[in-house]
Amino acid sequence: MTANAQFSTLLLAALPELRAFALSLTRDGPRADDLVQETILRAWSHADQFEAGSNVRAWLFTILRHLFYTEQRRRRREVDDPDGKRAAGLMIRPEQQSHLEFEDFRHALGRLPPLHREALILVGAQGASYEEAARVCGVAVGTIKSRVNRARTHLMALLQIEAGYEFGPDDILKAVIGHDRTDAGND
């Protein structure tokens, strides 16, 4: 029998006792099963650290115990909030202007026609050249230039700004909204 097969046999033999120990700690069947599974995964991934001839049960129980208490420490900082109401009540509205501008921008970007939004994201946010964006979209370079120009113009109208430099300190947002009159082409 190979070393892996022997180790695997030892792990399998310890499963019932591990589950019983996990149940005694968690008092919850599914949680105990998760804990046992994580213990076996951890033991298997650290099999090289196990010394042949030593007590595998004690080693596994120690791993399980450490995992349980680590989980307990983590859970102490967590709050049960399945519907998200508690988190929503704790939310603090940002005071930073750039965050508010970004939210306005994100909303306006979502209102653009999909083809214009795609072109604008490729050229403005991703930094692709017009040629690269045209290849990605399978259209002529002039079409991409037109879509980007129209998207920028539409965004500026939605955001009620006259020039890209009026929009926040973020360079990426400026690049997306940056309006270059030489972009115009055919759509």
Side-chain angles (χ1 to χ4, degrees):
M1 189 181 274
T2 67
N4 276 346
Q6 287 176 333
F7 188 68
S8 180
T9 302
L10 291 172
L11 292 180
L12 288 173
L15 281 177
E17 293 171 320
L18 280 175
R19 185 161 194 287
F21 183 53
L23 272 171
S24 72
L25 292 174
T26 63
R27 295 185 217 125
D28 178 24
R31 207 167 138 216
D33 291 340
D34 290 345
L35 192 56
V36 169
Q37 181 179 2
E38 183 62 31
T39 300
I40 296 299
L41 287 171
R42 185 81 48 99
W44 189 260
S45 67
H46 293 93
D48 58 325
Q49 295 176 7
F50 177 71
E51 296 177 22
S54 62
N55 187 345
V56 72
R57 287 179 57 247
W59 186 59
L60 291 170
F61 277 66
T62 301
I63 293 171
L64 189 139
R65 185 177 172 276
H66 285 267
L67 288 170
F68 173 74
Y69 285 114
T70 299
E71 181 183 310
Q72 287 298 103
R73 281 190 297 275
R74 215 177 277 135
R75 283 179 177 244
R76 258 189 256 141
R77 289 179 245 134
E78 293 177 358
V79 175
D80 191 29
D81 189 20
D83 57 2
K85 289 181 181 177
R86 185 176 187 119
L90 297 173
M91 190 174 9
I92 299 172
R93 297 289 173 211
E95 295 178 3
Q96 300 86 355
Q97 186 64 27
S98 62
H99 180 78
L100 295 174
E101 288 177 343
F102 178 76
E103 287 302 311
D104 291 343
F105 169 78
R106 193 174 63 79
H107 178 71
L109 186 65
R111 293 180 58 196
L112 293 178
L115 293 175
H116 292 174
R117 184 173 51 241
E118 175 185 51
L120 184 61
I121 289 172
L122 284 170
V123 173
Q126 298 287 328
S129 68
Y130 290 116
E131 291 77 17
E132 291 169 329
R135 274 194 302 275
V136 169
C137 295
V139 297
V141 173
T143 301
I144 287 296
K145 288 182 176 184
S146 174
R147 287 178 184 174
V148 169
N149 183 56
R150 289 174 189 210
R152 285 178 173 162
T153 301
H154 193 183
L155 264 180
M156 290 172 61
L158 289 170
L159 295 170
Q160 300 174 349
I161 57 177
E162 294 180 17
Y165 61 83
E166 294 176 12
F167 191 80
D170 184 55
D171 290 337
I172 293 176
L173 291 178
K174 284 183 182 178
V176 171
I177 199 75
H179 190 64
D180 184 357
R181 301 254 183 242
T182 63
D183 288 350
N186 299 333
D187 192 15

